[in-house]
Amino acid sequence: MTITPSNNTDSMAQSTPNYADIQSIVADDFEIMDKQVFGSLNSKVQLVMSVSQHVINAGGKRMRPLITLLCARMFNDNPSEKAMHLAAITEMLHTATLVHDDVIDESGQRRGKPTANATWDNATAVLVGDYLIARAFNLLVGFQSLPLLQVFSDGTCDIAEGEVLQLQHQHNPAATEDDYLRIIDGKTSRLFMMATQGAAILQDKTEYMQALGDFGQHFGNAFQIIDDVLDYSGDSEVMGKNLGDDLAEGKPTLPTIKALELLKNSDNEGYEQLRIAVQTGKTPNAEQLIDLVRRSGALDYCKQRALEETKLAQDALSTLPDNRYRTGLYQLTELASARLV
């Protein structure tokens, strides 16, 4: 069943809060964690430090470490230095994946700021991304927990495989929804799962590993599907990229996959236009192609799939301890799905 916010929580539970409201539930922990993201960098090479600080300073909401902190407090409502440290490591890994993504996508900006590859070059960005991953695992060793290392090493392998799968299906108009789900399970959802399950291991609550894994996977799926829908219907300034960028890059996203499927049966000319655009990456008629995807009905389908994944994530929370931290996780799912409105 889908849970509702607990009656023993504060007034935030009465309506969907903004991100700052949810973050405030673990405000002190979050502030310490945020400083640790920077404090954990200790390279003797100045260029490594400069590039690392540049990409971390680019900001972001720190949603994955926030999830780790909420999960840790949900199990034990006391400050946990280990949980804060693990949350910082999770953000370090996430940052590394963004650096590598920007190189692959040849991105010049992220969140309105120059990317590392644009500021320096591809080689520097790739190597610093490698350093951030290596440093994250160097810090993980300090926990002296083989189960924790197992979750993070398996998860990092899955992330890399998801990225390679995406590359394998780039400019492939025959990519299927199953292909897409395999891609996002690795490149997006896996890190959400690591953020939740890592907290359970630290707090010795491994009986909740399955529920937390389900929450992380379904929330990650919903989050990525919503992002991909917004590539055709969002606000370019808010998103920090132009509408249709994923299409131009030939990425196998669910809106494009579903649009091709629907158009093949209803509009052969439109299908051919979109198929050629995906295959070649040439989109001089980007607005027309975006309108084609919108009119196909694909976005309505994707929105429904995102809401289904959101509900599965919320259902997974129902077996977890009922407190304001679980409510915070629930509200994160509501906040994500509210972007579809």
Side-chain angles (χ1 to χ4, degrees), residues 107-125:
S107 300
Q109 285 196 332
R110 179 176 288 277
R111 305 187 186 104
K113 297 180 180 179
T115 56
N117 51 295
T119 305
W120 286 274
D121 53 45
N122 284 345
T124 300

Side-chain angles (χ1 to χ4, degrees), residues 151-192:
V151 165
F152 272 75
S153 59
D154 288 348
T156 303
C157 287
D158 289 339
I159 291 169
E161 287 178 345
E163 293 288 359
V164 174
L165 269 176
Q166 178 172 267
L167 201 59
Q168 181 179 317
H169 286 289
Q170 194 171 14
H171 299 297
N172 175 19
T176 66
E177 183 170 339
D178 283 343
D179 294 328
Y180 171 80
L181 290 172
R182 287 174 63 208
I183 290 167
I184 68 171
D185 178 71
K187 70 183 287 286
T188 302
S189 305
R190 192 59 56 182
L191 194 52
F192 282 105

